[in-house]
Amino acid sequence: MNRSQLIAQIEYKSSFLCVGLDPDLNKIPAHLKSEPDPIFSFCKEIVEETADYTVAYKPNIAFFEALGPRGWESLQKVLDIIPKETFTIADAKRGDIGNTSKLYAKAFFESMDFDSITVAPYMGADSVTPFLEFENKWVILLALTSNSGSQDFQTIEDGHCKPLFHSVIEKSQEWGSPENMMYVVGATRGELIGEVRTLAPDHFFLVPGVGAQGGSLEEVARFGMNSNCGLLVNSSRGIIYASNGKDFAKAARNEAKKLQEEMSILLEKHRK
């Protein structure tokens, strides 16, 4: 999916919602555990009930690969039932030396046909650029994350009082463009989202941390939205685990609908 197609979906659905698929066997409803493939059954119902309100799905690869070969089979089955017009994100957080990154890229972009993948930039250009060689595929670079340990490194300042995440964003724009690179920017500190937007005015941001982690959707939009929206706001637990009963998929639909309705209002305000 290219940039214009993604923007068109945001306009069409009045939404910039990304639903994170984190299927934990310890958390999915008990009645699904007797299914031949409980992980797939869970994700399938979530996708079917939320597809009207979301423009992206983000399977967290760890929840699948922890199950070994059958987990990879479940992941492919989930990917196959996601509507073709919906953006797909492999939340894999890969990033290694060049020849290894190239094989990771082939795995997720060719063998599985994801639209994008999350990539860690710590090893530098040769760990990121192999992912950027694929047409209409995206790197989503970890820039400023919402986890508690993010400040261990990301906000450390150099001799010129520049935090590390600033350097990551500035340098990485030499590798990719707004047409093939996004940034992960956590929702829990709105003023820092504004800093990233200043550094990368045209790029899309993937924003985790709204909902269960306490991030404010209104604040994310105020600091992070650009002329093309420029945001994919992810919610995982707040949607997919809204209920652990047989109504789990309907409950997920209701939560996704609530977020989409808020997003529609924010998009309309931004247009004025």
Side-chain angles (χ1 to χ4, degrees), residues 167-213:
S167 297
V168 168
I169 293 163
E170 291 171 352
K171 184 65 177 178
S172 62
Q173 289 181 66
E174 298 175 12
W175 312 333
S177 75
E179 302 292 328
N180 64 1
M181 183 179 284
M182 303 186 190
Y183 294 103
V184 175
V185 185
T188 50
R189 293 182 65 184
E191 73 281 2
L192 293 183
I193 298 174
E195 285 186 31
V196 180
R197 180 51 78 201
T198 299
L199 294 167
D202 299 321
H203 289 71
F204 265 87
F205 298 167
L206 173 64
V207 185
V210 167
Q213 294 184 51

Side-chain angles (χ1 to χ4, degrees), residues 131-222:
F131 294 95
L132 295 167
E133 295 172 0
F134 291 77
E135 187 176 1
N136 291 332
K137 302 293 185 179
W138 296 74
V139 163
I140 307 181
L141 205 68
L142 300 175
L144 182 64
T145 58
S146 56
N147 61 302
S148 59
S150 63
Q151 295 183 50
D152 289 347
F153 299 113
Q154 294 169 24
T155 57
I156 291 175
E157 295 182 349
D158 64 16
H160 303 286
C161 299
K162 179 191 291 187
L164 180 59
F165 76 88
H166 279 214
S167 297
V168 168
I169 293 163
E170 291 171 352
K171 184 65 177 178
S172 62
Q173 289 181 66
E174 298 175 12
W175 312 333
S177 75
E179 302 292 328
N180 64 1
M181 183 179 284
M182 303 186 190
Y183 294 103
V184 175
V185 185
T188 50
R189 293 182 65 184
E191 73 281 2
L192 293 183
I193 298 174
E195 285 186 31
V196 180
R197 180 51 78 201
T198 299
L199 294 167
D202 299 321
H203 289 71
F204 265 87
F205 298 167
L206 173 64
V207 185
V210 167
Q213 294 184 51
S216 162
L217 180 59
E218 189 279 331
E219 195 170 74
V220 168
R222 177 157 50 93

